[in-house]
Amino acid sequence: MKTLYCAACLLLISISTIGVSSLKCYICNSFTDKNCGHGKDVDVKYLQDCMTTSEEYKQQLPALPTNKNKTYSYTLCRKMITVVDFNVNGNVHGERIKRSCGWDDDEPKYNNNCYYRGGLGGRINVCSCQVDDCNSGTTVTVSLLLLVPLFIGVKSLYL
């Protein structure tokens, strides 16, 4: 019975990873497009595969660093809320939201967390996450939570 349980668990894990592609994040900027607003009101057309997105969206992504010793890829989604308190250095007063793919050399420090920076004339709140569709408004990590009841159900059937 334990062998059957282990096989079922292995099957569930493999099924949960079938069709996994690169990370999908919202890529937009409310400064240039009002449909990139607060919360869930961001248009689904901005949900893009970070590695295979069209040129239109690639222009909005930060360039990946080049380093002979390390290969970089987009490993997280970001949502940045910037508030400019007054017109300064060509930046117009107001709030803007930028959503994009990103990477972080200090991944354990900032992944799935937010940080805040402020200074003269403005402030920025940056949040990052590592699952598809997580920079729309609220961070949701459902995939692992759904597997737990499946494991319990399979265990109760076979043990």
Side-chain angles (χ1 to χ4, degrees):
M1 284 298 177
K2 286 186 181 183
T3 305
L4 190 56
Y5 172 70
C6 290
C9 289
L10 210 55
L11 179 65
L12 286 173
I13 290 169
S14 64
I15 289 171
S16 70
T17 59
I18 290 174
V20 171
S21 63
S22 62
L23 188 62
K24 292 180 182 175
C25 303
Y26 285 91
I27 303 172
C28 60
N29 188 333
S30 69
F31 188 67
T32 56
D33 190 338
K34 64 181 169 90
N35 293 322
C36 184
H38 281 289
K40 286 288 187 182
D41 56 350
V42 63
D43 196 319
V44 73
K45 74 179 181 181
Y46 300 119
L47 185 60
Q48 300 289 316
D49 186 304
C50 293
M51 297 306 286
T52 62
T53 188
S54 68
E55 286 302 316
E56 174 188 359
Y57 293 101
K58 276 187 184 173
Q59 294 174 1
Q60 297 183 49
L61 292 177
L64 289 169
T66 54
N67 183 334
K68 287 188 248 181
N69 300 325
K70 184 175 181 181
T71 303
Y72 286 89
S73 63
Y74 295 111
T75 58
L76 52 85
C77 300
R78 283 199 177 110
K79 178 181 176 185
M80 297 169 271
I81 302 173
T82 304
V83 177
V84 178
D85 293 325
F86 47 85
N87 295 352
V88 61
N89 297 330
N91 292 314
V92 180
H93 169 272
E95 180 182 88
R96 54 195 64 118
I97 299 171
K98 183 174 182 182
R99 303 167 198 269
S100 72
C101 306
W103 76 95
D104 196 342
D105 284 333
D106 298 323
E107 288 186 32
K109 184 174 181 181
Y110 293 117
N111 282 353
N112 300 311
N113 285 307
C114 298
Y115 64 91
Y116 175 85
R117 300 285 186 266
L120 179 63
R123 55 201 171 277
I124 186 168
N125 190 38
V126 180
C127 294
S128 65
C129 49
Q130 294 179 298
V131 295
D132 288 346
D133 187 17
C134 64
N135 64 340
S136 62
T138 56
T139 302
V140 179
T141 53
V142 176
S143 59
L144 290 177
L145 294 176
L146 289 176
L147 287 178
V148 172
L150 290 174
F151 284 128
I152 293 170
V154 169
K155 183 177 180 181
S156 65
L157 286 173
Y158 294 107
L159 292 181

